[in-house]
Amino acid sequence: RTHASVASLDSGGRRMLLVFGGMTGPNPAIRRYLDGEWMPEALDDLWALDLTALTPECLWEGLCLVRLPWRRVPVPGTRVHGVWGAGMHINARTSWLYLSGGQRFDVERQRLVEEDRVAVFRLRDALFSACSATGASLATAVAGQLAQFWVQCRDALGLAAAAAELEVQVEGSVLV
């Protein structure tokens, strides 16, 4: 992966490096493209590297005693075109990621395309697919009686979501 967009985020006490797009192919990719030997493939995925465990010793002396995990970040909503060389900015207050510009190769037209759109990724919004419920009353609830349970949702970065809107549907057999 080369020519990717990179930004950093400090959220919920965790430091992360975010990487979007770029291109894949032979090295050096741009030179091979300019020489007409290869058509670049733009990537459209978003990845986060959790830097929380990164120590000064690892940075300055190369004494890294912990593995830093990469995590693919699910991007809700409309998928943007894969691009390389785009600008990327994160609003520290909202944790919204803005992706602007970039280039991609249009296979149908056989030409390089300059993107002029801005895409917004709401990284700290809860994802429906990342919610779970716990509590004994989930298995023992009785109609007409109070039943407590807890719901926890995670955002696109895997952090506990600050808020979420939920719809609860109760199903089961009626015992007489």
Side-chain angles (χ1 to χ4, degrees):
R1 180 181 301 251
T2 64
H3 302 80
S5 303
V6 179
S8 62
L9 173 67
D10 191 344
S11 182
R14 290 174 62 184
R15 296 182 315 268
M16 296 189 177
L17 182 71
L18 297 170
V19 176
F20 177 85
M23 68 170 69
T24 184
N27 234 349
I30 291 295
R31 172 99 246 71
R32 301 278 304 272
Y33 166 71
L34 293 174
D35 290 343
E37 299 173 9
W38 170 77
M39 293 301 147
E41 178 187 346
L43 301 171
D44 65 355
D45 50 354
L46 179 64
W47 290 84
L49 178 63
D50 189 343
L51 300 173
T52 306
L54 191 64
T55 64
E57 292 79 22
C58 180
L59 278 174
W60 298 316
E61 300 169 22
L63 299 172
C64 303
L65 303 175
V66 65
R67 186 181 176 114
L68 301 176
W70 280 101
R71 180 179 200 279
R72 188 172 186 159
V73 178
V75 179
T78 306
R79 192 155 196 95
V80 299
H81 284 294
V83 293
W84 61 81
M88 193 158 84
H89 170 75
I90 296 180
N91 181 317
R93 189 177 54 79
T94 63
S95 294
W96 287 16
L97 181 147
Y98 297 89
L99 185 71
S100 62
Q103 297 179 331
R104 64 183 174 86
F105 188 78
D106 186 330
V107 178
E108 286 182 17
R109 297 183 193 156
Q110 289 294 302
R111 67 181 181 94
L112 196 62
V113 175
E114 296 272 342
E115 288 291 335
D116 62 357
R117 301 180 199 165
V118 174
V120 180
F121 302 100
R122 297 172 62 165
L123 300 174
R124 292 302 316 233
D125 284 2
L127 295 177
F128 172 75
S129 63
C131 294
S132 61
T134 58
S137 64
L138 289 171
T140 61
V142 176
Q145 295 183 8
L146 179 65
Q148 280 190 318
F149 61 92
W150 294 264
V151 176
Q152 179 183 23
C153 296
R154 301 230 170 248
D155 62 21
L157 298 173
L159 302 173
E165 292 181 20
L166 300 170
E167 181 178 312
V168 177
Q169 182 176 349
V170 179
E171 295 178 358
S173 303
V174 177
L175 302 175
V176 181

